[in-house]
Amino acid sequence: MALKTVAEYNNEYEALIAKGLLESEGIEAVIMNANSPYPGVMMGRHGIMLQVNDYDLESAQMILDRADK
């Protein structure tokens, strides 16, 4: 089981809201890069990453897309 990035955020609070939304739908989520003074530098990426199990990726994307509308 591998983690996949479902979304990236500039602020930790946005990532926390999205994580809570996914978890309320039964999808485990992990926030990566939140404690870095320069989010993204450690992973070679930009922003704070919200990650889910690879088998939950499609469902998580649909949930987050639905929330953006």
Side-chain angles (χ1 to χ4, degrees):
M1 135 174 66
L3 293 177
K4 300 285 185 176
T5 300
V6 67
E8 291 187 28
Y9 299 94
N10 292 322
N11 300 299
E12 184 177 3
Y13 70 88
E14 293 173 328
L16 287 168
I17 291 169
K19 180 179 187 281
L21 177 61
L22 293 179
E23 290 178 344
S24 74
E25 296 281 342
I27 296 176
E28 291 183 46
V30 177
I31 294 174
M32 302 292 289
N33 239 11
N35 295 324
S36 171
Y38 305 101
V41 172
M42 297 284 294
M43 305 286 284
R45 308 249 340 208
H46 303 287
I48 297 168
M49 296 177 288
L50 181 61
Q51 297 188 327
V52 297
N53 291 313
D54 55 356
Y55 55 81
D56 284 328
L57 183 62
E58 187 175 326
S59 296
Q61 287 173 330
M62 289 190 321
I63 291 166
L64 294 177
D65 287 346
R66 188 174 62 225
D68 283 342
K69 293 182 180 181

